Amino acid sequence: MTEQVIPLAEEILHVSKRTVETGRVRISLSTETVEDVLRDTLRTRRAEVERVQIDREVSEPPQTRQDGDVLIVPVVEEVLVVERRLVLREEIRLRFIDGEKAVERSVERRVQRATVDRVPAAGVTPLAAGMDQ
């Protein structure tokens, strides 16, 4: 029996990658001024002051008190006689009046918008770049 040698062949594959530019993207920003109207309600509070003369002797200073929507602040004066006495000279009465006022004011604000454009690479057709037309 004779020996036979059968040569074997094998294919070797090499995989490599390369970067291919298929296109570019250009982004443009534009800024514009837009005028808006702001609306809101402003609340106000003011005090009406009424002075009421009392001129009455008291044994101790009265407390500040609330009578409905009026805040009463006693004003006491110490008067020296042969003895010390407290005389309630006046009360200051504060009435608070609330109000509302609707206001509108035009203001300018800036708004940016972005535009995106695709720019194909030089020498590359859209089909070759894998892009839809």
Side-chain angles (χ1 to χ4, degrees), residues 81-130:
V81 195
V82 177
E83 59 186 350
R84 195 180 295 188
R85 296 181 190 165
L86 294 176
V87 176
L88 178 61
R89 289 289 177 203
E90 67 177 329
E91 291 179 337
I92 297 174
R93 298 178 181 204
L94 301 173
R95 181 182 324 275
F96 295 98
I97 297 102
D98 294 330
E100 292 184 355
K101 179 181 178 182
V103 293
E104 284 187 6
R105 178 168 292 163
S106 294
V107 294
E108 289 185 352
R109 62 184 179 94
R110 289 182 292 241
V111 177
Q112 280 192 334
R113 303 206 191 304
T115 305
V116 178
D117 296 316
R118 293 194 180 274
V119 180
V124 177
T125 64
L127 288 178

Side-chain angles (χ1 to χ4, degrees), residues 26-58:
R26 181 182 313 137
I27 298 176
S28 307
L29 291 178
S30 63
T31 303
E32 58 188 62
T33 302
V34 181
E35 190 165 308
D36 280 342
V37 176
L38 301 177
R39 290 179 178 87
D40 205 350
T41 300
L42 301 179
R43 300 188 188 285
T44 60
R45 176 177 256 193
R46 63 185 176 88
E48 287 182 350
V49 178
E50 174 189 2
R51 291 177 176 263
V52 178
Q53 290 296 330
I54 303 291
D55 290 329
R56 180 179 72 223
E57 283 189 26
V58 292

